Amino acid sequence: MMNIEVVLSPALLHLSDIKDKNVVVIDILRATSTICTAIHEGAEAVKAVKDIEQAKGLGSKGYLTAAERNGQKLDGFDMGNSPFECMNGAVEGRKIALTTTNGTKCIEAAANDGAANVLSGSFLNLEATADWLLKDGRDVVLFCAGWKE
């Protein structure tokens, strides 16, 4: 039987053993909705990174760069962290390097802590995510990005 655990804040991740579990990072209003929209709009890939410098480095390798801190787009980046910026052909066929205040840090933390799979969960892909998790059958950790820990 599949077990489901909820981590309510990035500050609490260390209390959970996520190794070999499916982790769904949930940053509903921004990062995960932006990732979902970018993929839906034809982006080839979205690389979530926690550091601004990592995103800039990927920009020098041809990635579109997207960055936000405290809800504000950062100067010197192609995009901020809004699903609307991914629409109307803006990201089609492109790779995106995305860094945000909360969500991308959680994605990277889950990947580094041994999660079997890290999924980007939002209202936009709720049904597809649930279907995939049920089909896969592993234990699940719902990891809430929160706001600044």
Side-chain angles (χ1 to χ4, degrees), residues 22-88:
N22 288 323
V23 177
V24 181
V25 174
I26 304 167
D27 189 9
I28 295 296
L29 296 178
R30 287 299 189 154
T32 56
S33 293
T34 298
I35 292 167
C36 188
T37 301
I39 297 300
H40 178 76
E41 291 289 322
E44 184 179 322
V46 179
K47 174 75 173 167
V49 296
K50 73 176 186 174
D51 295 320
I52 293 168
E53 293 306 316
Q54 288 175 285
K56 285 182 181 177
L58 289 168
S60 68
K61 296 179 180 177
Y63 284 68
L64 283 174
T65 57
E68 160 271 314
R69 288 296 183 270
N70 302 314
Q72 302 298 312
K73 176 184 173 188
L74 298 183
D75 291 336
F77 286 82
D78 300 312
M79 305 165 43
N81 180 28
S82 171
F84 293 111
E85 292 181 87
C86 299
M87 296 177 163
N88 302 317

Side-chain angles (χ1 to χ4, degrees), residues 88-123:
N88 302 317
V91 299
E92 189 171 350
R94 301 291 306 270
K95 293 180 182 178
I96 303 168
L98 174 66
T99 183
T100 68
T101 305
N102 304 301
T104 59
K105 293 175 184 178
C106 294
I107 291 169
E108 193 169 284
N112 290 341
D113 282 358
N117 297 289
V118 181
L119 289 79
S120 175
S122 77
F123 289 127

